[in-house]
Amino acid sequence: MKQAKLYKSSKAMQVLSQESIAEFTDFIDTVVEKTQEKPRLIVIDTLATCFSGGDENTAKDMGEFLNNLRGLSRKYNRCNILIVHHSGHGDKGRARGSSSLFANLDAEFEITRDESGIIHVKNTKFKDEETSAEKFYRLQKVELGTQDGEEVTSAIIVPEIKSLVIEVGLDSEDNPITAKEIVEFFGRGTGTIQGLADSLLVSKKLAHTMAKKVTKLGWLEKIDPANRKSGYRITDEGRRMLSVCGASLIPKEYTPPARPSYPWRRERADVDN
C-alpha cells in the first residue's frame, strides 16, 4: 500500500447514470493505458454523493446502484469497490437507506470516534469469514512544511490498543462507568479504593473490581504488588492515554464531580449507625 498510486476523479461518478459511468471508465482507461496497471480498488465517496437521480431508501434503486458497481468491478478484473456511507439518523448502528445494501455487501466496517478522540473500527459483517476483532486508532498531527510563511499540517492515523471510554461497570442507576473515570481518579496519585467508591457512589467491592479491570488493561498498577490490600496508582501508559484523549492529570486538590445522591444510601447508613 505504501507504493500504491492514487488517482482522484475531478467529479463524482453518478452510479445510476450509464453516461456518467462511461465518462468515469474513460478516465480509468486513460490511467490504465498510461501506467499499464488496472485498478485494484475504486472508492465511492460517499454513496449519497454518487446516488443522484435515485432514492437510497428503495430496494429497486439500491439494487441498480449495486449492480452497476458489480459491472464496474468485473470490467477491471473484479477489483474491490469501497463504499463510504453514513449511518442512519434514527439508528446509528446501521447504514442509512435500504437494508438491501447490507444484504449485498461482502464486508462492512463501522467507524466511530468516541469522546476521547479514539477511532473505533468494528467489523460488522464478513461474508465468507469470521468477523475480525475491533481495532482502535487515533489521529496524529504531521507537519508538511510551510506555504506563504504559514505551517501546513495534516494528520495520519496510528494504532491504539484500546480506548479509555470503555465500560468497566455500572453505577446504582445503571449508568456506565468508564475506564477514563477510574484512570482520572487515580491520576491524583493519592486515590484509594474507598475514595473511588465514595466518588462514584458505588460499593467498595465494585470499585475494587473496576480497578482490577483497568489494571489488566495496563493503565493502573498496584503500589505494592506483594500486598493484597495495596492501593493503586496510574501507570505511564495510563498517563499517555489521558494525554491522547485530551485530559490532563487531575491536581491533588481536585474534588470529583458529585454524582446524584440516593436516599436509600443515607437511610441504610442511618440504620447501620
Side-chain angles (χ1 to χ4, degrees), residues 104-123:
N104 284 277
L105 294 176
D106 291 328
E108 181 187 65
F109 293 85
E110 178 186 70
I111 301 177
T112 57
R113 185 159 66 175
D114 64 34
E115 64 188 67
S116 72
I118 299 298
I119 299 167
H120 298 233
V121 179
K122 183 179 181 182
N123 182 194

Side-chain angles (χ1 to χ4, degrees), residues 82-103:
L82 171 64
I83 304 172
V84 179
H85 193 30
H86 297 104
S87 60
H89 296 296
D91 184 359
K92 298 297 183 182
R94 64 177 293 268
R96 194 176 67 194
S98 171
S99 59
S100 62
L101 172 62
F102 180 80

